[in-house]
C-alpha cells in the first residue's frame, strides 16, 4: 500500500496539488519509515511548500540511507551547489557516479561542483550529458561547457 501512496503522492505533486501530494507522501513514509523513495518524494513536497530546511534535512537522511541512489543525491547536491558548497556536493555525488557513471543529472551536477576547482574533470562529466535525450539537460550541459571553455580553455 505504501507504494501506491508514494505513486499517488508523486502524481499529485506533478499535477500541482502540493498539499495533497505532501499528505500522501507523509502517509507513505509513515507506513514505511525507512523508504528512501518516500523520503525523497516528501522532501520534494516540502521544498515545493516552502519548507526548504525540512526538505534538506530529509534529503540528507535519505542520502545517508542510500548514498548511491541518484534522486536524493542529485537534489541534495543541487541544494548544496546553490549554497556554494561545491566540494560537499562533489562528495555527495561520488557514490552515485561510482554506481551509475552515466547518470546524466549526476554528471551535470558533478561538473558544476568541479567547474571552479577542476575544469578538466568537469568537462569529462559534461561530455557524458551532451548526448542525453533530455533537451533541458543538454542545454544546461552546453551552457556549462561554454562557461568552462571561456574561463578555462583546454590545454
Amino acid at each position: 500500500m505504501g507504494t501506491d501512496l508514494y505513486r499517488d503522492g508523486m502524481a499529485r505533486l506533478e499535477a500541482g496539488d502540493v498539499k495533497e501530494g505532501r499528505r500522501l507522501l507523509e502517509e507513505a513514509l509513515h507506513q514505511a519509515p525507512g523508504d528512501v523513495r518516500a523520503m525523497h518524494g516528501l522532501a520534494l513536497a516540502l521544498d515545493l511548500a516552502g519548507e526548504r530546511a525540512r526538505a534538506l534535512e530529509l534529503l540528507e537522511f535519505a542520502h545517508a540511507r542510500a548514498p548511491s541512489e541518484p534522486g536524493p543525491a542529485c537534489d541534495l547536491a543541487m541544494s548544496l551547489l546553490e549554497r556554494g558548497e561545491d566540494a560537499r556536493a562533489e562528495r555527495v555525488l561520488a557514490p552515485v557516479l561510482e554506481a551509475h557513471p552515466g547518470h546524466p543529472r549526476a554528471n551535470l551536477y558533478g561538473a558544476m561542483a568541479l567547474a571552479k576547482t577542476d575544469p578538466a574533470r568537469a568537462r569529462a562529466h559534461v561530455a557524458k550529458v551532451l548526448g542525453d535525450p533530455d533537451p533541458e539537460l543538454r542545454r544546461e550541459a552546453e551552457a556549462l561547457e561554454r562557461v568552462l571553455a571561456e574561463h578555462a580553455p583546454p590545454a
Side-chain angles (χ1 to χ4, degrees), residues 25-135:
L25 290 162
E26 284 174 341
E27 182 61 27
L29 189 55
H30 179 73
Q31 287 186 7
D35 187 302
V36 171
R37 287 184 338 146
M39 282 184 238
H40 182 224
L42 182 54
L44 295 174
L46 290 168
D47 191 49
L48 289 170
E51 296 182 44
R52 200 101 205 248
R54 284 193 59 215
L56 189 58
E57 275 180 27
L58 204 47
L59 285 174
E60 295 264 12
F61 190 66
H63 175 67
R65 284 191 64 88
S68 63
E69 186 62 35
C74 286
D75 289 339
L76 176 57
M78 180 47 73
S79 291
L80 295 169
L81 287 167
E82 289 169 353
R83 293 179 3 197
E85 296 183 44
D86 298 3
R88 188 163 169 228
E90 180 189 359
R91 288 191 303 274
V92 163
L93 292 167
V96 174
L97 290 168
E98 187 176 317
H100 311 280
H103 191 276
R105 246 183 0 132
N107 274 289
L108 179 62
Y109 297 168
M112 290 175 178
L114 291 166
K116 296 174 195 163
T117 58
D118 194 342
R121 280 183 52 215
R123 277 195 184 90
H125 286 296
V126 167
K128 293 178 182 181
V129 185
L130 292 173
D132 194 78
D134 181 329

